Amino acid sequence: MKILVTGGTGYIGSHTCVELIKNKHEVVIVDNLYNSSIAVLDRIEMISGVKPKFYQVDILDREALEAVFKDNKFDACIHFAGYKAVGESCEIPLTYYKNNISGSINLYELMRKYHVDNLVFSSSATVYGDDFEVPFKEEYGLGTTTNPYGSTKKMNEMILTDLAKADKDFSTVLLRYFNPIGAHESGLIGEVPNGIPNNLVPYIAQTASGQRDFLRVWGNDYDTVDGTGVRDYIHVVDLAKAHVLAIEYAYKNKGSEVINIGTGKGYSVLEVLHAYEKACGHEIPYKIMDRRPGDIATCYADTEKASKLLGFKAEYDINKMCEDSYRFTSLNPDGIK
């Protein structure tokens, strides 16, 4: 297939491009480089042997995006492009709604105009909110989101579900990720936080390298294995492989499907910290802080549907996730340039 990948130079997008190329798909990337580097294209080529065609285009720019569709005949699209910082979304909600909703609608309208009928959407477990018990099951539906970022994911899911109902030629798979971490084992691509990190592992990495004095651990009195919060972490390469399976599924099956992508196992904050200590070879200082409002004790996926429909099962454990993360951070202290 010839696949348009929006946000393809980003963290998850770049790993997915590598796996798509490995599986003999032709990749075309659209990215505005807001939260990534053009140098990622060379890194993808170093790993895969193929440099994807690239357009520096913002999906809000409908005219420029349409030019990409005119230049190419796509079979499918994987849609990653969007702002993704939970805290920032609370500070500038209109920017998030404009970019993540209006930009996405531009994409979906152009897909319909140019008869691109297959889409995988990068959604998130945030759409469950805090309304349900673990493990989170797809059948729960959409919960009450707690921030504008999560709301934009929820709205996109609703838009795409309605589109699939209205257009019988359209096929979409909505992948609800849990917590992607790790990096490609080559150390060439990985997560480069833009400003303040959104996730646990970049904080641990920055503390391990001395950029931070200590890691703040928010609460140690939860009903968990060691009192700290438990989350479902998945290796980004496993997640990328799930996208390949999902786009191939969408190509063969019409309608819409919601599918969790996680390991189905939770790791506590301290378990992740100690796995990272093992990877880097030294202790990492931390301090226990009061719980943060809104945090829940445990969050992990029910993965039965991913296994049944996609044949997907995560391969890598927390030690591998931390080893690969540490390798990437060590080799790229200043990010990807």
Side-chain angles (χ1 to χ4, degrees), residues 8-303:
T9 58
Y11 175 44
I12 303 170
S14 60
H15 288 81
T16 299
C17 288
V18 167
E19 294 302 319
L20 287 168
I21 293 167
K22 187 185 294 186
N23 283 272
K24 310 303 181 187
H25 296 295
E26 183 180 352
V27 171
V28 177
I29 295 174
V30 161
D31 203 305
N32 66 0
L33 302 179
Y34 168 78
N35 192 29
S36 60
S37 167
I38 190 71
V40 169
L41 293 174
D42 294 327
R43 303 291 184 96
I44 291 173
E45 183 179 20
M46 291 169 70
I47 296 168
S48 70
V50 175
K51 190 170 188 175
K53 186 188 289 188
F54 174 76
Y55 295 85
Q56 187 171 346
V57 167
D58 191 312
I59 60 172
L60 281 172
D61 186 341
R62 185 186 174 96
E63 185 176 338
L65 186 58
E66 182 160 14
V68 177
F69 279 84
K70 288 178 178 177
D71 281 352
N72 301 273
K73 182 168 177 52
F74 296 116
D75 298 298
C77 174
I78 301 179
H79 181 28
F80 295 105
Y83 296 154
K84 62 176 186 177
V86 170
E88 183 182 65
S89 78
C90 297
E91 296 167 4
I92 50 171
L94 291 180
T95 300
Y96 269 68
Y97 286 116
K98 182 177 182 180
N99 186 78
N100 293 8
I101 302 299
S102 298
S104 295
I105 289 175
N106 281 344
L107 175 67
Y108 306 150
E109 287 179 341
L110 289 169
M111 288 181 67
R112 307 319 309 126
K113 181 175 180 179
Y114 289 90
H115 306 290
V116 183
D117 295 327
N118 310 293
L119 173 73
V120 169
F121 176 64
S122 164
S123 192
S124 166
T126 58
V127 301
Y128 288 113
D130 52 10
D131 298 337
F132 307 113
E133 294 182 357
V134 293
F136 289 143
K137 303 175 186 288
E138 294 90 347
E139 65 199 52
Y140 289 164
L142 296 164
T144 305
T145 47
T146 57
N147 55 75
Y149 161 74
S151 296
T152 66
K153 293 295 189 186
K154 178 178 176 178
M155 289 178 187
N156 267 286
E157 285 203 18
M158 294 168 68
I159 291 165
L160 290 168
T161 301
D162 287 341
L163 177 55
K165 288 177 183 175
D167 186 342
K168 299 307 179 186
D169 290 328
F170 188 69
S171 174
T172 184
V173 176
L174 314 173
L175 294 185
R176 292 178 180 169
Y177 322 152
F178 280 68
N179 294 268
I181 63 173
H184 194 270
E185 64 182 2
S186 66
L188 289 168
I189 53 175
E191 186 171 16
V192 182
N194 187 9
I196 299 172
N198 301 310
N199 306 309
L200 173 63
V201 170
Y203 276 111
I204 293 177
Q206 290 179 1
T207 308
S209 65
Q211 296 175 58
R212 295 179 181 274
D213 293 334
F214 58 87
L215 175 73
R216 289 177 171 84
V217 177
W218 304 99
N220 68 340
D221 56 352
Y222 291 106
D223 184 17
T224 62
V225 62
D226 55 25
T228 64
V230 168
R231 299 292 181 267
D232 189 338
Y233 296 95
I234 181 168
H235 197 295
V236 67
V237 172
D238 276 332
L239 180 56
K241 291 175 180 177
H243 284 81
V244 178
L245 294 170
I247 201 63
E248 291 171 348
Y249 179 89
Y251 191 75
K252 297 173 184 173
N253 299 273
K254 298 303 178 187
S256 64
E257 288 287 356
V258 173
I259 303 177
N260 289 335
I261 302 295
T263 64
K265 172 179 171 56
Y267 298 99
S268 75
V269 173
L270 291 184
E271 284 176 325
V272 178
L273 176 71
H274 295 324
Y276 206 95
E277 287 176 332
K278 183 179 176 182
C280 71
H282 62 80
E283 289 188 3
I284 299 171
Y286 68 92
K287 290 185 179 180
I288 302 297
M289 317 299 286
D290 291 337
R291 291 187 187 188
R292 289 181 300 192
D295 276 355
I296 59 176
T298 303
C299 171
Y300 59 92
D302 183 303
T303 60

